[in-house]
Every structure is written in C-alpha cells, then in structure tokens.
Amino acid sequence: MQRMRNKVAMALVLTFVLFMFTNGDLLAQDYKECVKLLNYQKYNEALKCSQDLQAKESGWYYPVYLEAKAYRGLNQKDDAVSSLKEAAELASGEDETFSVLYEFTHLYYSSWANKSDRKEAEKYCVQAKGVASKPEFQAKIFSICGKIYFKTEDWSAAERDLRRAYNTDKNNAGIAELLIKTLMKRNKNKDAIDLLKKAPKNANTYAMFAEVLIKDGDFKEAAKNTDACLKLDLRNKKCMILDADANIGLKNWDDAIKILQRYTVMFPGDWRGNDKLGEVYLYDKKYMNALSYLKVAVENTPLKECMPLVHYAEAWENKYVHGGKKSVDLDNALTAITGAEKRCPSNSKMLAVKARIIERIKDRDRGDIEIDCDKQPNHPECKKLAEAEGK
C-alpha cells in the first residue's frame, strides 16, 4: 500500500513538473501582470488576476499570497486573513514563510482598530523576525516592528528595532526619520543630531533637525535647515512654522512675520499659523494685528489646546494697558483666560497671565489710576509687565 502511495505521489510530482515546463512561461507572465497591478494599486484588477491564476494552477502559493495583498489593499480584512492562512499552508522555504508572516504583520498594523489587532501585529512581528535571515528581510520586518512599538509608545523597543532596520538599510530616509523621532521622544537629542548629520535627507528630516536645534537654542543653524527643507517642499507646514520659530529665536520679527503671513494665506484656517503670527505681533507690540490673527486661531484651535486662548488674553490685556484703558478690553482678557483655564488648569503660563489680569481688574474696580506703559515704560509696573512678556 505504501509503495502504491509513493508511486501516486511521484506521478503527481512528475505531472506538475511537466505542466510547469509546458505552461511555466504563461504562468510567469500572468504572475508578473498580477504583481504589476498590485504595484499600481489596482486592487480589484489584481484580485481578479490572482484568482484567475489560481484557477489555472490550484495549490500554487503565489496566487493565494497575491490575493491576500489585494484584499488588504481593498480593506477586506477578513478575506485577507483567510487568504493568508491558506498561503501559510502552501508556503515552503524561508522566503515564502517570511512573506506570509510579514504580510500578516503589515495587515494588522495597517488595519489597527483595537487591542486584538495590536496583539496580532506584535505576535506576527516576533514570528517574522525569527525567520528573517536575509538583510532585505531584516530591514523590512525591523522597520515595521519599530513602527508598531512607536505606535504603542514603547520607545525603548521602537529604538531597538529601528536601529537594526537603519543599520541594515542606511539609505532609507523613512527608517531614519522614524528612528530620529524615537530618539527625540526619548530626549536623546545628541543621538538624534548625530544621526541627522549623516542620515539621508528629505523634507521631514530637515524639519526634525531644525526642531532639535531650536530646542538646543541654536536658532541660526536651525534656520539653515528650515531653508533646506523649504527648498524641497515649499508648502511644508512644519518647516514653515519652524522657520518662524528660528527667526523668533533670532529676534528677526519682520522675517518671522513674512513667513507666517505667507503661511496664513496658504492655510487660512490653520490655528497654528494664526496663533504663531498673533504671538509674534504680541512680541512686536502690534496688539490690534495680534488680536486679528489670534481670534482666527481661537476659533479653529482643538479643544485640547489652550495656548491660543492664553495669547488671546495677553493681547487683550496689552490693548487695555497700552490702548486707552477701556474696560471692555480687560473683560475680554478675562473671558479668554477663563476659557484657557478650563482647558489647561495647571499650565504655568496660563496661571501667570490670569494672576496679572485679576490684579488689573481689582485695580480697575477700586478706581486705582492705571499706568500708561507707552508713556512711562520705566515705571516698575511697566518693567514688570515687559519682563513677564519676555520683551
């Protein structure tokens, strides 16, 4: 009986070899067409192509694997999982096994919706690492595992895997970018700067370099990097804001204003640009201009953000002090700082501004004479206000 089974098995193998010999070129051509459709993100066509290929040659790993990738592209998660399980049964050798495990990892990472997806992504990440002996496999799996740990805010594990990915593929700007972000999350600014100096550059890495340099107070060098970033991507929002920050650090108010005016024209409803421009006008003592932009920032700022309201309160306070002592301006300042307090009750800047406004309201209600700081800038109260505003 065993001898008969061996003969049957051998006959099947010979039949398959003969089929592939006579039809291999056609199958290879069909396979390449399916891969091309996937690369062009024509997922419906790729799905049909892979299923047609399966009909021509059932039990072949690659069409089933391509079918799974097409389902992932179509966001049909359950179908993708089913196809991957079938592909796993057909897989043989390290290349095919790794491809399935990597695709499982990618699928659960890209469709991450709950703790179960996270658990599955981490599980397949670990399994794929175990069979990734080739450098190209290591770069892929350590990169996506690093992304998983970055997403879960496990910065130590993210750094470990992203370093391995980067050391395997040092020309990959995307891996370098995420590793630098991770180092910054871990407050390893020196390591981030060292990597930024030698890593491949794109607009995002220039932006990150500028961000680190601004934190370290090197505004001149930061401005060089924002300039390089904007040469690559003129509409890069982060680089425009950082360019303004660098010029603010250098006290180049006019340059900062020009940058931010262009930003607010390009992105009129963006709260960050309007808040930053209003803040610069505050520094430059142009309070009406500050109020105009800060009003837009407050109207568009997310509920979790409070600083635009703090800046708005400061602008009204300054208008009150420098613009005729109108009670309505002080009332507006109180309204703004009260709104800020609801969002960030323990913020030190908010508390300082609130204390000043409360004292001014007390003075006003007692009928105390307010000092005009434009006319008496050397008065102790005016000096104290200027010091609090960082002027």
Side-chain angles (χ1 to χ4, degrees):
M1 179 64 72
Q2 184 61 40
R3 204 174 278 178
M4 178 63 72
R5 286 177 182 167
N6 290 341
K7 288 182 178 180
V8 170
M10 181 61 71
L12 289 172
V13 170
L14 290 172
T15 301
F16 178 74
V17 170
L18 179 62
F19 177 85
M20 291 301 293
F21 181 77
T22 56
N23 297 278
D25 289 344
L26 292 175
L27 288 174
Q29 186 176 344
D30 290 343
Y31 171 74
K32 289 179 181 178
E33 179 61 25
C34 296
V35 171
K36 185 170 74 172
L37 291 169
L38 273 174
N39 290 338
Y40 285 129
Q41 298 183 357
K42 296 181 178 181
Y43 297 119
N44 281 307
E45 295 175 48
L47 179 61
K48 184 177 184 306
C49 180
S50 61
Q51 290 173 343
D52 288 346
L53 194 54
Q54 288 179 59
K56 293 178 183 178
E57 180 51 39
S58 61
W60 190 20
Y61 159 83
Y62 286 104
V64 182
Y65 172 69
L66 295 179
E67 179 185 59
K69 290 173 73 71
Y71 276 132
R72 175 167 62 81
L74 292 167
N75 295 317
Q76 295 178 218
K77 184 175 178 179
D78 291 341
D79 290 325
V81 169
S82 178
S83 295
L84 279 173
K85 288 179 177 178
E86 185 180 348
E89 293 176 358
L90 296 170
S92 62
E94 178 189 336
D95 289 9
E96 294 178 8
T97 301
F98 172 80
S99 295
V100 171
L101 294 173
Y102 176 80
E103 185 61 25
F104 264 124
T105 307
H106 195 179
L107 172 65
Y108 283 110
Y109 171 73
S110 62
S111 62
W112 194 316
N114 50 47
K115 290 183 179 179
S116 176
D117 289 337
R118 168 182 172 174
K119 185 177 179 180
E120 291 297 302
E122 291 177 336
K123 179 184 78 175
Y124 284 111
C125 154
V126 171
Q127 291 181 8
K129 285 181 188 178
V131 297
S133 62
K134 296 182 178 180
E136 62 267 29
F137 290 171
Q138 292 172 359
K140 287 178 65 177
I141 194 58
F142 283 110
S143 174
I144 198 168
C145 290
K147 291 176 183 177
I148 290 169
Y149 293 125
F150 188 92
K151 190 171 182 178
T152 60
E153 299 185 357
D154 186 346
W155 309 124
S156 176
E159 180 185 348
R160 178 199 65 211
D161 282 2
L162 289 168
R163 277 193 183 279
R164 291 195 64 174
Y166 175 73
N167 288 335
T168 306
D169 185 6
K170 292 188 175 181
N171 292 321
N172 190 313
I175 294 174
E177 178 184 336
L178 195 59
L179 175 55
I180 293 161
K181 285 182 180 178
T182 304
L183 292 170
M184 291 170 68
K185 288 288 186 181
R186 302 196 72 192
N187 294 317
K188 293 186 174 183
N189 286 356
K190 183 179 182 304
D191 289 349
I193 290 173
D194 290 343
L195 181 57
L196 279 162
K197 287 177 179 177
K198 57 189 177 184
K201 297 293 188 294
N202 59 21
N204 291 334
T205 52
Y206 277 123
M208 286 188 291
F209 203 177
E211 188 174 1
V212 172
L213 291 165
I214 287 170
K215 286 182 180 178
D216 285 354
D218 192 348
F219 302 113
K220 188 174 181 179
E221 197 64 30
K224 291 180 182 178
N225 280 274
T226 55
D227 287 346
C229 171
L230 292 170
K231 285 179 182 177
L232 293 175
D233 182 2
L234 190 61
R235 295 178 62 87
N236 189 297
K237 295 170 78 171
K238 184 172 184 177
C239 282
M240 292 174 74
I241 292 291
L242 289 169
D243 197 27
D245 284 336
N247 280 282
I248 290 169
L250 294 167
K251 298 188 179 347
N252 295 333
W253 309 125
D254 289 343
D255 289 339
I257 287 170
K258 287 176 184 177
I259 294 160
L260 290 166
Q261 283 178 334
R262 183 164 65 87
Y263 186 102
T264 56
V265 169
M266 293 169 68
F267 313 105
D270 185 277
W271 70 273
R272 290 184 188 278
N274 283 283
D275 177 51
K276 186 72 65 175
L277 182 51
E279 191 179 2
V280 175
Y281 276 128
L282 260 178
Y283 291 143
D284 207 28
K285 299 183 180 181
K286 295 176 180 176
Y287 305 121
M288 291 304 296
N289 288 343
L291 285 167
S292 176
Y293 286 99
L294 288 169
K295 182 175 185 293
V296 177
V298 168
E299 289 171 350
N300 290 279
T301 190
L303 291 176
K304 64 180 181 179
E305 298 288 344
C306 77
M307 289 313 295
L309 280 162
V310 175
H311 297 147
Y312 199 39
E314 283 189 289
W316 281 115
E317 179 197 7
N318 276 281
K319 184 173 181 294
Y320 172 77
V321 173
H322 300 282
K325 314 300 185 300
K326 296 178 181 177
S327 288
V328 66
D329 293 339
L330 201 53
D331 292 338
N332 287 333
L334 179 62
T335 299
I337 204 64
T338 301
E341 185 178 23
K342 291 178 181 177
R343 299 185 182 192
C344 54
S346 60
N347 183 281
S348 59
K349 176 72 179 288
M350 182 280 299
L351 290 171
V353 174
K354 180 186 175 185
R356 283 206 317 267
I357 292 171
I358 294 298
E359 285 303 312
R360 294 192 183 286
I361 290 173
K362 288 178 181 178
D363 290 343
R364 180 195 65 183
D365 293 345
R366 284 197 306 263
D368 292 354
I369 298 173
E370 284 280 352
I371 303 300
D372 188 335
C373 289
D374 283 342
K375 294 180 179 179
Q376 302 181 59
N378 293 322
H379 190 283
E381 183 181 345
C382 297
K383 287 183 176 181
K384 185 177 179 180
L385 175 63
E387 182 179 343
E389 294 171 350
K391 298 185 179 74

